[in-house]
Amino acid sequence: MPQLRLGRALTALQTLSIQSQHAKAINATHGEQVALRFGSRCIPVTVTVMPQSNGKRINALLSADACEQLLVPTPIRIHLKREADGSLRLGPLIGVLAQGHRSLRQPFFNQTPYFAALVTMGRRHGIPTYVFRPRDINWETQTVRAWVRSPRRVWRRATLPLPDVVYDRVQSRRLDLLRSTRDAKRRLNEMKTPMFNTGFLDKWDTYAMLSRAEATAQYLPDTQLVTDRDDVVRFARRYRSIFVKPAGGSLGQGIMVLRRRANGRFNMVHYSNRGVFRFRNVTLWPLWNRLRRFKRRRRYVVQQGLSLVRYRGRRFDIRVLVQKGHDGNWQISALYARVAVPGSLRSNLDAGGKAINGPRILRRIYGRTAGRRVLGRIQQAALDVAKTLEAEMDGPLGELGLDIGVDRRGRPWVIEANAKPLRQMEGPRRRLALSILRPLRFAQSLANF
């Protein structure tokens, strides 16, 4: 399957001209009439074979009328594949599904830099990629008013076919529940368009899936779905500290933390989107009264508080990004520590946490040799969790962001799994590039390229 540098020809109607070595690779013959596909578009073309030339940057040409009918933006790096039915296919064309707003500088909120990197990386590797919102789709013409990047690295709009594969990056549950999002996903599913990482992970469902597998049950703190006050009371009696979390929450919002005092009463902290509320020397009733109000709209879990190691007196966890590449195997693309601000129980970067080199922190806490062993345990836990969740979930899963804490003995504990991890565009250049390329390679495999 050759990767072409495809240009536009001004002569001959509906022709695809290919240099001889690439024509041979896909068993194309001079004068052959064949269907040519690009995303959701398909037209008949005549193949012409050009002599091999090592000096030219462009090694294939598509006639101008064919470019316009297929909506191929030339010049472009792209793969050409012979399908089982004899047709030819340009691609793969990858669409990143998101919700956004009208800002041209940040059209996709805090994920805009990541999406820009995806589109740029796709262009370099012959995997044309664009970003689109549900309202950008024209279902009658099966086209998308897509967001792409110009050579000057600014966003611009282009009309392109519906994609071969959709990488679901709708950023929040609220946006995912919009009618426009749900309708777009339903219609794409009806068209049998492969989508990966669609939907969100619920804390209780995730716990249930992981607790059923022997490989991952060992990494889980004791957790219970809150059905009534007795569930919270039972955990508060069993453990010195407990966490009460929204099952569908993220970014540390809505968490309530209780620590039992020597007199049997509690200190409580509630992390709300309206601020941080602290209560000292109280019974469980303030927690339950708050929880009862919120529980009408969402599910909550109660979780054992863990005695995790600290770094310079601050709480931290290890964020592990696990991804699949073209071979479909899980690999670790990034691993770093998220260190909370002094006095905070949340290490989320959006809550003020700081990203620091993870292996370095582990070496400082445990020593060089033991730190390396702890790092290996964390990596193994991350891979075990990814494989288990993949086996339990319905649709394809291409990446996960895992938050893992470690105790004094170096035992890893899985705190949270996120199917839509917030991507930070910082870190070692090679690692960062790899973490951007792998979802595109995985999408390429789903498109059978």
Side-chain angles (χ1 to χ4, degrees), residues 111 114 118 167-169 196-197 201 320-324 330-331 333 386 396-402 418-423 435-436 438-439 442:
Q111 287 294 270
Y114 174 52
L118 277 172
Y167 176 21
D168 185 353
R169 287 295 306 193
F196 67 100
N197 278 61
L201 290 173
V320 186
L321 178 65
V322 284
Q323 296 177 310
K324 282 184 176 180
W330 286 105
Q331 301 171 75
S333 296
L397 197 61
E399 68 178 354
L400 282 171
L402 300 174
N418 193 336
K420 304 283 180 70
L422 179 65
R423 298 297 304 277
S435 72
I436 296 165
R438 276 181 173 156
F442 181 61

PDB file of all heavy atoms in Angstrom, residues 111 114 118 167-169 196-197 201 320-324 330-331 333 386 396-402 418-423 435-436 438-439 442:
ATOM      1  N   GLN A 111      -8.949  21.975  24.486  1.00  0.00           N
ATOM      2  CA  GLN A 111      -8.378  20.911  23.680  1.00  0.00           C
ATOM      3  C   GLN A 111      -7.922  21.385  22.301  1.00  0.00           C
ATOM      4  O   GLN A 111      -7.419  20.588  21.498  1.00  0.00           O
ATOM      5  CB  GLN A 111      -9.381  19.767  23.520  1.00  0.00           C
ATOM      6  CG  GLN A 111      -9.582  18.945  24.775  1.00  0.00           C
ATOM      7  CD  GLN A 111      -8.332  18.173  25.164  1.00  0.00           C
ATOM      8  OE1 GLN A 111      -8.121  17.044  24.745  1.00  0.00           O
ATOM      9  NE2 GLN A 111      -7.464  18.784  25.963  1.00  0.00           N
ATOM     10  N   TYR A 114      -4.325  20.475  21.246  1.00  0.00           N
ATOM     11  CA  TYR A 114      -4.188  19.050  20.938  1.00  0.00           C
ATOM     12  C   TYR A 114      -4.764  18.735  19.562  1.00  0.00           C
ATOM     13  O   TYR A 114      -4.153  18.004  18.766  1.00  0.00           O
ATOM     14  CB  TYR A 114      -4.868  18.208  22.014  1.00  0.00           C
ATOM     15  CG  TYR A 114      -4.897  16.727  21.716  1.00  0.00           C
ATOM     16  CD1 TYR A 114      -3.733  16.044  21.378  1.00  0.00           C
ATOM     17  CD2 TYR A 114      -6.090  16.007  21.768  1.00  0.00           C
ATOM     18  CE1 TYR A 114      -3.757  14.681  21.102  1.00  0.00           C
ATOM     19  CE2 TYR A 114      -6.115  14.654  21.492  1.00  0.00           C
ATOM     20  CZ  TYR A 114      -4.948  13.994  21.152  1.00  0.00           C
ATOM     21  OH  TYR A 114      -4.967  12.652  20.873  1.00  0.00           O
ATOM     22  N   LEU A 118      -2.955  17.138  16.255  1.00  0.00           N
ATOM     23  CA  LEU A 118      -3.449  15.956  15.553  1.00  0.00           C
ATOM     24  C   LEU A 118      -3.542  16.202  14.048  1.00  0.00           C
ATOM     25  O   LEU A 118      -3.101  15.378  13.242  1.00  0.00           O
ATOM     26  CB  LEU A 118      -4.837  15.570  16.080  1.00  0.00           C
ATOM     27  CG  LEU A 118      -4.923  14.734  17.356  1.00  0.00           C
ATOM     28  CD1 LEU A 118      -6.377  14.637  17.802  1.00  0.00           C
ATOM     29  CD2 LEU A 118      -4.354  13.334  17.142  1.00  0.00           C
ATOM     30  N   TYR A 167     -12.768   9.710  15.641  1.00  0.00           N
ATOM     31  CA  TYR A 167     -12.114   9.725  16.955  1.00  0.00           C
ATOM     32  C   TYR A 167     -12.958  10.637  17.836  1.00  0.00           C
ATOM     33  O   TYR A 167     -13.007  11.843  17.646  1.00  0.00           O
ATOM     34  CB  TYR A 167     -10.694  10.264  16.769  1.00  0.00           C
ATOM     35  CG  TYR A 167      -9.843  10.452  18.001  1.00  0.00           C
ATOM     36  CD1 TYR A 167     -10.095   9.802  19.194  1.00  0.00           C
ATOM     37  CD2 TYR A 167      -8.726  11.286  17.936  1.00  0.00           C
ATOM     38  CE1 TYR A 167      -9.273   9.977  20.310  1.00  0.00           C
ATOM     39  CE2 TYR A 167      -7.899  11.473  19.043  1.00  0.00           C
ATOM     40  CZ  TYR A 167      -8.183  10.822  20.216  1.00  0.00           C
ATOM     41  OH  TYR A 167      -7.354  11.012  21.311  1.00  0.00           O
ATOM     42  N   ASP A 168     -13.687  10.052  18.774  1.00  0.00           N
ATOM     43  CA  ASP A 168     -14.648  10.799  19.592  1.00  0.00           C
ATOM     44  C   ASP A 168     -13.924  11.548  20.703  1.00  0.00           C
ATOM     45  O   ASP A 168     -13.420  10.948  21.643  1.00  0.00           O
ATOM     46  CB  ASP A 168     -15.673   9.829  20.185  1.00  0.00           C
ATOM     47  CG  ASP A 168     -16.776  10.538  20.961  1.00  0.00           C
ATOM     48  OD1 ASP A 168     -16.682  11.761  21.161  1.00  0.00           O
ATOM     49  OD2 ASP A 168     -17.731   9.855  21.369  1.00  0.00           O
ATOM     50  N   ARG A 169     -13.889  12.876  20.579  1.00  0.00           N
ATOM     51  CA  ARG A 169     -13.255  13.710  21.604  1.00  0.00           C
ATOM     52  C   ARG A 169     -14.218  14.778  22.118  1.00  0.00           C
ATOM     53  O   ARG A 169     -13.793  15.863  22.514  1.00  0.00           O
ATOM     54  CB  ARG A 169     -12.004  14.376  21.033  1.00  0.00           C
ATOM     55  CG  ARG A 169     -10.829  13.450  20.828  1.00  0.00           C
ATOM     56  CD  ARG A 169     -10.280  12.878  22.106  1.00  0.00           C
ATOM     57  NE  ARG A 169      -9.928  13.885  23.083  1.00  0.00           N
ATOM     58  CZ  ARG A 169      -9.205  13.670  24.183  1.00  0.00           C
ATOM     59  NH1 ARG A 169      -8.751  12.454  24.418  1.00  0.00           N
ATOM     60  NH2 ARG A 169      -8.940  14.632  25.023  1.00  0.00           N
ATOM     61  N   PHE A 196     -14.136   5.372  17.861  1.00  0.00           N
ATOM     62  CA  PHE A 196     -13.466   4.840  19.045  1.00  0.00           C
ATOM     63  C   PHE A 196     -13.423   5.875  20.153  1.00  0.00           C
ATOM     64  O   PHE A 196     -13.486   7.080  19.914  1.00  0.00           O
ATOM     65  CB  PHE A 196     -12.081   4.280  18.727  1.00  0.00           C
ATOM     66  CG  PHE A 196     -11.031   5.277  18.308  1.00  0.00           C
ATOM     67  CD1 PHE A 196     -10.083   5.737  19.212  1.00  0.00           C
ATOM     68  CD2 PHE A 196     -10.962   5.731  17.000  1.00  0.00           C
ATOM     69  CE1 PHE A 196      -9.087   6.627  18.826  1.00  0.00           C
ATOM     70  CE2 PHE A 196      -9.971   6.608  16.594  1.00  0.00           C
ATOM     71  CZ  PHE A 196      -9.037   7.065  17.512  1.00  0.00           C
ATOM     72  N   ASN A 197     -13.370   5.348  21.388  1.00  0.00           N
ATOM     73  CA  ASN A 197     -13.413   6.142  22.625  1.00  0.00           C
ATOM     74  C   ASN A 197     -14.687   6.964  22.723  1.00  0.00           C
ATOM     75  O   ASN A 197     -14.686   8.101  23.180  1.00  0.00           O
ATOM     76  CB  ASN A 197     -12.178   7.041  22.752  1.00  0.00           C
ATOM     77  CG  ASN A 197     -10.995   6.278  23.293  1.00  0.00           C
ATOM     78  OD1 ASN A 197     -10.541   5.308  22.686  1.00  0.00           O
ATOM     79  ND2 ASN A 197     -10.492   6.682  24.444  1.00  0.00           N
ATOM     80  N   LEU A 201     -16.481   7.019  30.972  1.00  0.00           N
ATOM     81  CA  LEU A 201     -16.409   5.962  31.978  1.00  0.00           C
ATOM     82  C   LEU A 201     -17.052   6.435  33.274  1.00  0.00           C
ATOM     83  O   LEU A 201     -16.706   7.494  33.804  1.00  0.00           O
ATOM     84  CB  LEU A 201     -14.954   5.559  32.223  1.00  0.00           C
ATOM     85  CG  LEU A 201     -14.265   4.806  31.081  1.00  0.00           C
ATOM     86  CD1 LEU A 201     -12.789   4.633  31.387  1.00  0.00           C
ATOM     87  CD2 LEU A 201     -14.929   3.459  30.843  1.00  0.00           C
ATOM     88  N   VAL A 320      -1.003   8.118  33.889  1.00  0.00           N
ATOM     89  CA  VAL A 320      -0.447   7.252  32.856  1.00  0.00           C
ATOM     90  C   VAL A 320      -1.357   7.315  31.634  1.00  0.00           C
ATOM     91  O   VAL A 320      -2.569   7.073  31.754  1.00  0.00           O
ATOM     92  CB  VAL A 320      -0.321   5.790  33.334  1.00  0.00           C
ATOM     93  CG1 VAL A 320       0.408   4.956  32.285  1.00  0.00           C
ATOM     94  CG2 VAL A 320       0.409   5.716  34.669  1.00  0.00           C
ATOM     95  N   LEU A 321      -0.788   7.656  30.496  1.00  0.00           N
ATOM     96  CA  LEU A 321      -1.518   7.643  29.237  1.00  0.00           C
ATOM     97  C   LEU A 321      -1.177   6.353  28.514  1.00  0.00           C
ATOM     98  O   LEU A 321      -0.027   6.133  28.124  1.00  0.00           O
ATOM     99  CB  LEU A 321      -1.145   8.852  28.379  1.00  0.00           C
ATOM    100  CG  LEU A 321      -1.808   8.931  26.997  1.00  0.00           C
ATOM    101  CD1 LEU A 321      -3.315   9.114  27.136  1.00  0.00           C
ATOM    102  CD2 LEU A 321      -1.200  10.064  26.170  1.00  0.00           C
ATOM    103  N   VAL A 322      -2.164   5.467  28.367  1.00  0.00           N
ATOM    104  CA  VAL A 322      -1.963   4.216  27.635  1.00  0.00           C
ATOM    105  C   VAL A 322      -2.737   4.310  26.325  1.00  0.00           C
ATOM    106  O   VAL A 322      -3.883   4.751  26.300  1.00  0.00           O
ATOM    107  CB  VAL A 322      -2.404   2.983  28.452  1.00  0.00           C
ATOM    108  CG1 VAL A 322      -1.405   2.642  29.511  1.00  0.00           C
ATOM    109  CG2 VAL A 322      -3.774   3.192  29.081  1.00  0.00           C
ATOM    110  N   GLN A 323      -2.092   3.906  25.241  1.00  0.00           N
ATOM    111  CA  GLN A 323      -2.677   4.041  23.915  1.00  0.00           C
ATOM    112  C   GLN A 323      -2.393   2.809  23.064  1.00  0.00           C
ATOM    113  O   GLN A 323      -1.464   2.056  23.339  1.00  0.00           O
ATOM    114  CB  GLN A 323      -2.094   5.271  23.192  1.00  0.00           C
ATOM    115  CG  GLN A 323      -2.406   6.595  23.846  1.00  0.00           C
ATOM    116  CD  GLN A 323      -1.741   7.744  23.111  1.00  0.00           C
ATOM    117  OE1 GLN A 323      -0.553   7.706  22.839  1.00  0.00           O
ATOM    118  NE2 GLN A 323      -2.502   8.770  22.800  1.00  0.00           N
ATOM    119  N   LYS A 324      -3.204   2.664  22.032  1.00  0.00           N
ATOM    120  CA  LYS A 324      -2.950   1.663  21.013  1.00  0.00           C
ATOM    121  C   LYS A 324      -2.377   2.346  19.779  1.00  0.00           C
ATOM    122  O   LYS A 324      -2.745   3.478  19.459  1.00  0.00           O
ATOM    123  CB  LYS A 324      -4.249   0.955  20.615  1.00  0.00           C
ATOM    124  CG  LYS A 324      -4.725  -0.082  21.589  1.00  0.00           C
ATOM    125  CD  LYS A 324      -5.956  -0.753  21.015  1.00  0.00           C
ATOM    126  CE  LYS A 324      -6.426  -1.873  21.911  1.00  0.00           C
ATOM    127  NZ  LYS A 324      -7.628  -2.524  21.332  1.00  0.00           N
ATOM    128  N   TRP A 330      -1.623  -2.411  23.462  1.00  0.00           N
ATOM    129  CA  TRP A 330      -1.565  -1.310  24.427  1.00  0.00           C
ATOM    130  C   TRP A 330      -0.113  -0.984  24.758  1.00  0.00           C
ATOM    131  O   TRP A 330       0.694  -1.880  25.003  1.00  0.00           O
ATOM    132  CB  TRP A 330      -2.298  -1.680  25.709  1.00  0.00           C
ATOM    133  CG  TRP A 330      -3.791  -1.666  25.563  1.00  0.00           C
ATOM    134  CD1 TRP A 330      -4.617  -2.746  25.481  1.00  0.00           C
ATOM    135  CD2 TRP A 330      -4.628  -0.513  25.463  1.00  0.00           C
ATOM    136  NE1 TRP A 330      -5.918  -2.342  25.345  1.00  0.00           N
ATOM    137  CE2 TRP A 330      -5.961  -0.972  25.334  1.00  0.00           C
ATOM    138  CE3 TRP A 330      -4.390   0.859  25.472  1.00  0.00           C
ATOM    139  CZ2 TRP A 330      -7.053  -0.114  25.220  1.00  0.00           C
ATOM    140  CZ3 TRP A 330      -5.471   1.731  25.358  1.00  0.00           C
ATOM    141  CH2 TRP A 330      -6.781   1.246  25.234  1.00  0.00           C
ATOM    142  N   GLN A 331       0.190   0.319  24.762  1.00  0.00           N
ATOM    143  CA  GLN A 331       1.526   0.794  25.093  1.00  0.00           C
ATOM    144  C   GLN A 331       1.415   2.065  25.932  1.00  0.00           C
ATOM    145  O   GLN A 331       0.451   2.819  25.808  1.00  0.00           O
ATOM    146  CB  GLN A 331       2.320   1.088  23.813  1.00  0.00           C
ATOM    147  CG  GLN A 331       2.479  -0.120  22.911  1.00  0.00           C
ATOM    148  CD  GLN A 331       3.070   0.243  21.560  1.00  0.00           C
ATOM    149  OE1 GLN A 331       4.259   0.503  21.461  1.00  0.00           O
ATOM    150  NE2 GLN A 331       2.238   0.290  20.534  1.00  0.00           N
ATOM    151  N   SER A 333       2.340   5.695  26.603  1.00  0.00           N
ATOM    152  CA  SER A 333       2.851   6.832  25.827  1.00  0.00           C
ATOM    153  C   SER A 333       3.362   7.959  26.710  1.00  0.00           C
ATOM    154  O   SER A 333       4.212   8.732  26.281  1.00  0.00           O
ATOM    155  CB  SER A 333       1.755   7.370  24.904  1.00  0.00           C
ATOM    156  OG  SER A 333       1.377   6.403  23.951  1.00  0.00           O
ATOM    157  N   ALA A 386      -6.150  -1.311  31.183  1.00  0.00           N
ATOM    158  CA  ALA A 386      -6.544  -1.038  29.798  1.00  0.00           C
ATOM    159  C   ALA A 386      -7.079  -2.297  29.119  1.00  0.00           C
ATOM    160  O   ALA A 386      -8.118  -2.264  28.451  1.00  0.00           O
ATOM    161  CB  ALA A 386      -5.361  -0.465  29.028  1.00  0.00           C
ATOM    162  N   PRO A 396     -14.727   0.167  20.207  1.00  0.00           N
ATOM    163  CA  PRO A 396     -13.257   0.175  20.250  1.00  0.00           C
ATOM    164  C   PRO A 396     -12.721   1.226  21.210  1.00  0.00           C
ATOM    165  O   PRO A 396     -13.279   2.317  21.347  1.00  0.00           O
ATOM    166  CB  PRO A 396     -12.864   0.508  18.804  1.00  0.00           C
ATOM    167  CG  PRO A 396     -14.066   0.208  17.985  1.00  0.00           C
ATOM    168  CD  PRO A 396     -15.243   0.446  18.863  1.00  0.00           C
ATOM    169  N   LEU A 397     -11.651   0.882  21.892  1.00  0.00           N
ATOM    170  CA  LEU A 397     -10.988   1.767  22.845  1.00  0.00           C
ATOM    171  C   LEU A 397      -9.547   1.936  22.388  1.00  0.00           C
ATOM    172  O   LEU A 397      -8.831   0.949  22.214  1.00  0.00           O
ATOM    173  CB  LEU A 397     -11.044   1.135  24.238  1.00  0.00           C
ATOM    174  CG  LEU A 397     -10.772   2.012  25.454  1.00  0.00           C
ATOM    175  CD1 LEU A 397     -11.772   3.143  25.555  1.00  0.00           C
ATOM    176  CD2 LEU A 397     -10.823   1.162  26.728  1.00  0.00           C
ATOM    177  N   GLY A 398      -9.133   3.185  22.176  1.00  0.00           N
ATOM    178  CA  GLY A 398      -7.798   3.435  21.662  1.00  0.00           C
ATOM    179  C   GLY A 398      -6.858   4.094  22.633  1.00  0.00           C
ATOM    180  O   GLY A 398      -5.639   4.080  22.432  1.00  0.00           O
ATOM    181  N   GLU A 399      -7.403   4.693  23.716  1.00  0.00           N
ATOM    182  CA  GLU A 399      -6.540   5.326  24.717  1.00  0.00           C
ATOM    183  C   GLU A 399      -7.289   5.475  26.027  1.00  0.00           C
ATOM    184  O   GLU A 399      -8.516   5.497  26.069  1.00  0.00           O
ATOM    185  CB  GLU A 399      -6.035   6.685  24.228  1.00  0.00           C
ATOM    186  CG  GLU A 399      -7.095   7.753  24.093  1.00  0.00           C
ATOM    187  CD  GLU A 399      -6.524   9.088  23.643  1.00  0.00           C
ATOM    188  OE1 GLU A 399      -5.298   9.220  23.553  1.00  0.00           O
ATOM    189  OE2 GLU A 399      -7.317  10.010  23.387  1.00  0.00           O
ATOM    190  N   LEU A 400      -6.530   5.562  27.104  1.00  0.00           N
ATOM    191  CA  LEU A 400      -7.069   5.776  28.448  1.00  0.00           C
ATOM    192  C   LEU A 400      -6.097   6.647  29.232  1.00  0.00           C
ATOM    193  O   LEU A 400      -4.875   6.489  29.109  1.00  0.00           O
ATOM    194  CB  LEU A 400      -7.235   4.446  29.188  1.00  0.00           C
ATOM    195  CG  LEU A 400      -8.430   3.563  28.859  1.00  0.00           C
ATOM    196  CD1 LEU A 400      -8.249   2.205  29.543  1.00  0.00           C
ATOM    197  CD2 LEU A 400      -9.729   4.212  29.318  1.00  0.00           C
ATOM    198  N   GLY A 401      -6.635   7.540  30.052  1.00  0.00           N
ATOM    199  CA  GLY A 401      -5.833   8.250  31.026  1.00  0.00           C
ATOM    200  C   GLY A 401      -6.122   7.663  32.395  1.00  0.00           C
ATOM    201  O   GLY A 401      -7.274   7.645  32.833  1.00  0.00           O
ATOM    202  N   LEU A 402      -5.115   7.140  33.068  1.00  0.00           N
ATOM    203  CA  LEU A 402      -5.297   6.478  34.366  1.00  0.00           C
ATOM    204  C   LEU A 402      -4.587   7.271  35.453  1.00  0.00           C
ATOM    205  O   LEU A 402      -3.430   7.675  35.277  1.00  0.00           O
ATOM    206  CB  LEU A 402      -4.746   5.058  34.315  1.00  0.00           C
ATOM    207  CG  LEU A 402      -5.385   4.137  33.274  1.00  0.00           C
ATOM    208  CD1 LEU A 402      -4.641   2.809  33.219  1.00  0.00           C
ATOM    209  CD2 LEU A 402      -6.850   3.900  33.590  1.00  0.00           C
ATOM    210  N   ASN A 418     -10.073   7.399  32.742  1.00  0.00           N
ATOM    211  CA  ASN A 418     -10.714   8.424  31.924  1.00  0.00           C
ATOM    212  C   ASN A 418     -10.555   8.076  30.449  1.00  0.00           C
ATOM    213  O   ASN A 418      -9.438   7.942  29.961  1.00  0.00           O
ATOM    214  CB  ASN A 418     -10.075   9.792  32.228  1.00  0.00           C
ATOM    215  CG  ASN A 418     -10.874  10.949  31.658  1.00  0.00           C
ATOM    216  OD1 ASN A 418     -11.625  10.784  30.700  1.00  0.00           O
ATOM    217  ND2 ASN A 418     -10.711  12.102  32.247  1.00  0.00           N
ATOM    218  N   ALA A 419     -11.689   7.934  29.740  1.00  0.00           N
ATOM    219  CA  ALA A 419     -11.651   7.615  28.320  1.00  0.00           C
ATOM    220  C   ALA A 419     -11.452   8.855  27.453  1.00  0.00           C
ATOM    221  O   ALA A 419     -11.226   8.723  26.249  1.00  0.00           O
ATOM    222  CB  ALA A 419     -12.933   6.902  27.896  1.00  0.00           C
ATOM    223  N   LYS A 420     -11.534  10.045  28.045  1.00  0.00           N
ATOM    224  CA  LYS A 420     -11.304  11.293  27.302  1.00  0.00           C
ATOM    225  C   LYS A 420     -10.272  12.128  28.065  1.00  0.00           C
ATOM    226  O   LYS A 420     -10.571  13.216  28.555  1.00  0.00           O
ATOM    227  CB  LYS A 420     -12.602  12.086  27.170  1.00  0.00           C
ATOM    228  CG  LYS A 420     -13.757  11.350  26.517  1.00  0.00           C
ATOM    229  CD  LYS A 420     -13.589  11.271  25.020  1.00  0.00           C
ATOM    230  CE  LYS A 420     -14.767  10.538  24.408  1.00  0.00           C
ATOM    231  NZ  LYS A 420     -16.026  11.275  24.461  1.00  0.00           N
ATOM    232  N   PRO A 421      -9.045  11.590  28.211  1.00  0.00           N
ATOM    233  CA  PRO A 421      -8.061  12.302  29.037  1.00  0.00           C
ATOM    234  C   PRO A 421      -7.713  13.664  28.450  1.00  0.00           C
ATOM    235  O   PRO A 421      -7.529  13.813  27.243  1.00  0.00           O
ATOM    236  CB  PRO A 421      -6.843  11.364  29.016  1.00  0.00           C
ATOM    237  CG  PRO A 421      -7.005  10.543  27.781  1.00  0.00           C
ATOM    238  CD  PRO A 421      -8.477  10.384  27.590  1.00  0.00           C
ATOM    239  N   LEU A 422      -7.660  14.669  29.327  1.00  0.00           N
ATOM    240  CA  LEU A 422      -7.232  16.002  28.917  1.00  0.00           C
ATOM    241  C   LEU A 422      -5.766  15.922  28.513  1.00  0.00           C
ATOM    242  O   LEU A 422      -4.919  15.468  29.272  1.00  0.00           O
ATOM    243  CB  LEU A 422      -7.409  16.992  30.069  1.00  0.00           C
ATOM    244  CG  LEU A 422      -6.990  18.437  29.800  1.00  0.00           C
ATOM    245  CD1 LEU A 422      -7.878  19.061  28.733  1.00  0.00           C
ATOM    246  CD2 LEU A 422      -7.059  19.261  31.087  1.00  0.00           C
ATOM    247  N   ARG A 423      -5.449  16.350  27.308  1.00  0.00           N
ATOM    248  CA  ARG A 423      -4.106  16.208  26.772  1.00  0.00           C
ATOM    249  C   ARG A 423      -3.315  17.494  26.965  1.00  0.00           C
ATOM    250  O   ARG A 423      -3.702  18.562  26.467  1.00  0.00           O
ATOM    251  CB  ARG A 423      -4.165  15.848  25.288  1.00  0.00           C
ATOM    252  CG  ARG A 423      -4.865  14.518  25.018  1.00  0.00           C
ATOM    253  CD  ARG A 423      -4.131  13.351  25.650  1.00  0.00           C
ATOM    254  NE  ARG A 423      -2.761  13.320  25.190  1.00  0.00           N
ATOM    255  CZ  ARG A 423      -2.400  12.774  24.041  1.00  0.00           C
ATOM    256  NH1 ARG A 423      -3.282  12.163  23.271  1.00  0.00           N
ATOM    257  NH2 ARG A 423      -1.142  12.792  23.673  1.00  0.00           N
ATOM    258  N   SER A 435       2.586  10.284  21.393  1.00  0.00           N
ATOM    259  CA  SER A 435       1.239  10.247  21.962  1.00  0.00           C
ATOM    260  C   SER A 435       0.209  10.886  21.039  1.00  0.00           C
ATOM    261  O   SER A 435      -0.981  10.594  21.140  1.00  0.00           O
ATOM    262  CB  SER A 435       1.229  10.942  23.329  1.00  0.00           C
ATOM    263  OG  SER A 435       1.362  12.349  23.187  1.00  0.00           O
ATOM    264  N   ILE A 436       0.652  11.762  20.142  1.00  0.00           N
ATOM    265  CA  ILE A 436      -0.254  12.369  19.153  1.00  0.00           C
ATOM    266  C   ILE A 436      -0.439  11.436  17.964  1.00  0.00           C
ATOM    267  O   ILE A 436      -1.544  11.296  17.428  1.00  0.00           O
ATOM    268  CB  ILE A 436       0.303  13.734  18.690  1.00  0.00           C
ATOM    269  CG1 ILE A 436       0.353  14.708  19.863  1.00  0.00           C
ATOM    270  CG2 ILE A 436      -0.529  14.313  17.547  1.00  0.00           C
ATOM    271  CD1 ILE A 436       1.194  15.935  19.603  1.00  0.00           C
ATOM    272  N   ARG A 438      -0.097   8.048  17.841  1.00  0.00           N
ATOM    273  CA  ARG A 438      -0.688   6.728  18.081  1.00  0.00           C
ATOM    274  C   ARG A 438      -2.201   6.676  17.853  1.00  0.00           C
ATOM    275  O   ARG A 438      -2.688   5.712  17.228  1.00  0.00           O
ATOM    276  CB  ARG A 438      -0.318   6.242  19.481  1.00  0.00           C
ATOM    277  CG  ARG A 438       1.052   5.574  19.499  1.00  0.00           C
ATOM    278  CD  ARG A 438       1.453   5.062  20.852  1.00  0.00           C
ATOM    279  NE  ARG A 438       2.705   4.301  20.753  1.00  0.00           N
ATOM    280  CZ  ARG A 438       3.544   4.112  21.757  1.00  0.00           C
ATOM    281  NH1 ARG A 438       3.264   4.613  22.964  1.00  0.00           N
ATOM    282  NH2 ARG A 438       4.650   3.410  21.587  1.00  0.00           N
ATOM    283  N   PRO A 439      -2.999   7.646  18.304  1.00  0.00           N
ATOM    284  CA  PRO A 439      -4.435   7.563  17.979  1.00  0.00           C
ATOM    285  C   PRO A 439      -4.703   7.592  16.479  1.00  0.00           C
ATOM    286  O   PRO A 439      -5.649   6.950  16.002  1.00  0.00           O
ATOM    287  CB  PRO A 439      -5.017   8.802  18.671  1.00  0.00           C
ATOM    288  CG  PRO A 439      -4.050   9.156  19.732  1.00  0.00           C
ATOM    289  CD  PRO A 439      -2.709   8.774  19.195  1.00  0.00           C
ATOM    290  N   PHE A 442      -3.946   4.146  15.206  1.00  0.00           N
ATOM    291  CA  PHE A 442      -5.032   3.241  15.590  1.00  0.00           C
ATOM    292  C   PHE A 442      -6.242   3.452  14.681  1.00  0.00           C
ATOM    293  O   PHE A 442      -6.873   2.488  14.228  1.00  0.00           O
ATOM    294  CB  PHE A 442      -5.407   3.452  17.046  1.00  0.00           C
ATOM    295  CG  PHE A 442      -6.510   2.550  17.527  1.00  0.00           C
ATOM    296  CD1 PHE A 442      -6.357   1.170  17.511  1.00  0.00           C
ATOM    297  CD2 PHE A 442      -7.706   3.074  17.988  1.00  0.00           C
ATOM    298  CE1 PHE A 442      -7.367   0.324  17.946  1.00  0.00           C
ATOM    299  CE2 PHE A 442      -8.729   2.241  18.424  1.00  0.00           C
ATOM    300  CZ  PHE A 442      -8.555   0.865  18.399  1.00  0.00           C
TER     301      PHE A 442
END
